[in-house]
Amino acid sequence: MAAADTLTAPRVSPIQRLWNRDLDRYPATGPRYYYLGLVVVTTIILYYQLYVGGAVATQILGGYHMTFLYYVMILVITNAIGAFASLATGIADRIGRANLVVYGTIITSLMALIAVPHAQTKFSFGVISALTGLVEGVILVATPALVRDFSPQVGRAAAMGFWTMGPVLGSLVVSEVSSHTVSHLNAWQDQYMIAGIVGLVVAFVALLTLRELSSRLRDQVMVTLQEQTILEIRARGLDVAEATRDPYRQMFKPDILLSALAISVFLLGYYTAVAFFPIYFQTVLNFSVSQSNSLETWYWSSNAIALIVFGTLSDKLSVRKPFMLAGGVFSVLVTISFLSKATHHNPSFSSIAVLLAFTGIWGGAAFAPWMASFTESVEERNPALTATGLAVWGWLLRIVVAVAFLVLPHVVNSVTPLVNNGAQVQAAANRNPVLVAEATAHPDVFAQLAKYKNPKDIPPAVLNHAILTVGAPTLLLLQKPQAQADLKYLQAHAADVQAAQKSAPHQWQHWLWVCVGGQIFFIPMIFVLAGYWRPRRAKEALAAHDRAIMGEQPAAQPV
């Protein structure tokens, strides 16, 4: 039988194409770029849906009368479920990746469009969030595995940079859409509905057109595009079952585990930004909702650009580790500068925006090369288990985030009074400045007056003392129902809000120091990954590989 006949995929009907997506030939440049682009766009939409809650977190807390601890516990459970979903997605090495991506996106889009807007209680909102986290944990593994399949090693960092634009541009879309619509739309649920509609459009395109390599092709290492013919021929005799035997035992190795743990703690700052920076900007730095989301735009846009720039440079120079080292060191320095702003009184928008931009730049410098280096380290052990290696990373990442978010409310316990009561306390104080001033100066007088619901029941001695101390106009103001309600609310909550305002900056600084610790831990773990430090050494190794391939190719050409 001719080689061309051997490699021809069996014909399938258009209906069968909705689940049978295998390619038995490595795609040409145009289709390959299309599949890569579609995977990236799908990832963007997924993370847009996942992160949209962070943009309206204060409204969600207020709408459900939810404490910050309850909100964070939802995130903890969501990440914990996502962790084990990621680990289970190692099965994508056996069953493929594309269907997991396509049907997972359909599910998350329907949840965003229908389920979340109709969640009547905080418990139902939490259940829906947890289910979304489960699906996200699956796609976290399946999408980078697809990118790896369609990317030879010489272009891997740029390709992974594009994939990483999924969560980053997803965050950017959240910031851009919410900063331009949150003040015009009536309910926070509208943000989810927008995300759901967009997601269904993208999911429909992926349903009809997304394809993936057959298992015999994807289970090999391709360093350059010139090797595709050899890979197709090798694929005839590859024993997939043998290559994927005991997958987790093959991947639970020190280099895989330590590097996955290192990038997970490095990304604590990123996940804090996704989930909590809008709350931090509003409750500590005193920015509005739209300003807070505009600030995040600076972070995400600079990060997206850096991922592509540094990923491309890493491929051009054929090294990963110098970029990871520079990204790690400068991330530490920028985060320390950023956390120092917490105790500045009302820092300027521009100063925070610039620091966020540099945070995004150096985070991108570290992460895109790391993704390339990690997948190459997995390939060194077994290229047939790429999804399993990524599953181990996704599992560790979600476990780290879940544990971190479990700890965070105990480090930053000032959020609940500021979010649930801060705005009302401020509004009550603004409506009654004189009343607040007198109540603050003479709490004993107001405590005596509060004992009597009807002003006519106040004893003459108590009334005369109050008139001499706070004045008759203040007492007349106190008789108004709105003023009475405001004073009662202030007496119940003002002290807690004031204490929270005082402690919040230092508490957030403590948490950001934890993020700095994660960035420091990342730096020495660079050394356990595969790859070279010097471009010259890397290019010499690539040249040697090319010579070996050229020596093999004549003997492997189809007859």
Side-chain angles (χ1 to χ4, degrees), residues 45 49 105-111 113-114 193-207:
I45 296 304
Q49 295 167 350
T105 306
I106 292 173
I107 291 170
T108 60
S109 298
L110 291 174
M111 285 184 174
L113 178 62
I114 300 172
M193 295 177 71
I194 295 171
I197 292 170
V198 176
L200 285 176
V201 173
V202 173
F204 180 74
V205 175
L207 177 68

Side-chain angles (χ1 to χ4, degrees), residues 55 59 175 178-183 282 287-297 349:
Q59 292 92 323
S175 299
S178 59
S179 64
H180 289 90
T181 61
V182 73
S183 59
Q282 293 168 54
F287 292 112
S288 67
V289 175
S290 60
Q291 284 178 318
S292 298
N293 286 293
S294 294
L295 280 171
E296 295 232 279
T297 299
F349 183 96

Side-chain angles (χ1 to χ4, degrees), residues 427-436 439 446 473-491:
N430 290 341
R431 283 192 295 266
N432 307 279
V434 175
L435 194 61
V436 171
F446 283 82
T474 300
L475 294 180
L476 290 174
L477 179 62
L478 186 58
Q479 294 181 18
K480 296 181 178 180
Q482 181 64 62
Q484 291 177 11
D486 286 343
L487 183 60
K488 185 177 180 180
Y489 195 88
L490 289 168
Q491 289 172 335

Side-chain angles (χ1 to χ4, degrees), residues 10 186 294 394 515:
N186 295 325
S294 294
C515 298

Side-chain angles (χ1 to χ4, degrees), residues 207-549:
L207 177 68
L208 297 181
T209 63
L210 184 60
R211 301 288 180 263
E212 65 180 331
L213 299 183
S214 66
S215 60
R216 294 181 181 275
L217 285 177
R218 67 175 180 253
D219 289 351
Q220 303 178 67
V221 176
M222 184 164 70
V223 177
T224 66
L225 280 173
Q226 286 70 32
E227 299 173 37
Q228 67 182 67
T229 300
I230 293 175
L231 292 186
E232 290 171 358
I233 293 171
R234 285 176 181 165
R236 298 180 191 176
L238 186 64
D239 189 340
V240 176
E242 181 62 30
T244 56
R245 190 185 305 277
D246 297 324
Y248 292 104
R249 189 179 67 176
Q250 294 188 52
M251 287 295 114
F252 272 79
K253 302 296 182 182
D255 57 334
I256 303 297
L257 293 172
L258 285 173
S259 55
L261 177 63
I263 197 64
S264 298
V265 295
F266 177 85
L267 291 173
L268 281 178
Y270 166 82
Y271 280 97
T272 300
V274 167
F276 304 118
F277 269 10
I279 293 175
Y280 170 68
F281 293 148
Q282 293 168 54
T283 60
V284 176
L285 303 185
N286 299 314
F287 292 112
S288 67
V289 175
S290 60
Q291 284 178 318
S292 298
N293 286 293
S294 294
L295 280 171
E296 295 232 279
T297 299
W298 283 77
Y299 185 1
W300 307 130
S301 56
S302 63
N303 191 227
I305 294 170
L307 287 165
I308 301 306
V309 170
F310 286 107
T312 302
L313 286 174
S314 175
D315 288 334
K316 186 176 182 62
L317 296 175
S318 301
V319 292
R320 319 298 191 197
K321 293 180 178 180
F323 294 97
M324 288 188 274
L325 179 61
V329 170
F330 284 104
S331 290
V332 169
L333 298 177
V334 174
T335 304
I336 292 173
S337 298
F338 176 74
L339 68 84
S340 69
K341 292 290 185 179
T343 51
H344 288 201
H345 183 64
N346 294 330
S348 67
F349 183 96
S350 59
S351 66
I352 300 299
V354 168
L355 284 172
L356 288 173
F358 278 110
T359 301
I361 288 170
W362 293 115
F367 191 67
W370 181 88
M371 283 294 296
S373 185
F374 181 76
T375 56
E376 289 160 4
S377 297
V378 170
E379 286 176 342
E380 277 198 354
R381 290 199 168 273
N382 187 342
L385 295 178
T386 298
T388 304
L390 288 167
V392 171
W393 164 60
W395 171 66
L396 272 176
L397 175 65
R398 289 296 180 264
I399 289 292
V400 167
V401 174
V403 171
F405 285 179
L406 190 62
V407 173
L408 186 144
H410 302 286
V411 178
V412 186
N413 58 21
S414 56
V415 172
T416 296
L418 291 177
V419 171
N420 290 354
N421 308 119
Q424 295 92 322
V425 165
Q426 187 63 49
N430 290 341
R431 283 192 295 266
N432 307 279
V434 175
L435 194 61
V436 171
E438 293 292 348
T440 303
H442 307 286
D444 55 330
V445 172
F446 283 82
Q448 284 290 328
L449 294 174
K451 296 178 181 178
Y452 306 98
K453 294 183 179 181
N454 191 333
K456 295 180 179 180
D457 296 334
I458 301 175
V462 174
L463 183 61
N464 291 334
H465 176 67
I467 292 172
L468 291 173
T469 306
V470 302
T474 300
L475 294 180
L476 290 174
L477 179 62
L478 186 58
Q479 294 181 18
K480 296 181 178 180
Q482 181 64 62
Q484 291 177 11
D486 286 343
L487 183 60
K488 185 177 180 180
Y489 195 88
L490 289 168
Q491 289 172 335
H493 301 292
D496 290 339
V497 169
Q498 290 168 358
Q501 287 173 334
K502 183 178 180 180
S503 61
H506 298 286
Q507 291 178 354
W508 280 106
Q509 281 185 332
H510 295 157
W511 179 254
L512 291 172
W513 275 113
V514 173
C515 298
V516 170
Q519 294 165 350
I520 292 173
F521 177 77
F522 169 76
I523 294 171
M525 294 300 105
I526 295 169
F527 292 85
V528 307
L529 287 164
Y532 297 93
W533 285 93
R534 297 179 181 179
R536 181 177 177 181
R537 288 282 308 279
K539 291 184 182 298
E540 288 174 351
L542 181 60
H545 175 84
D546 287 343
R547 288 193 297 270
I549 289 297

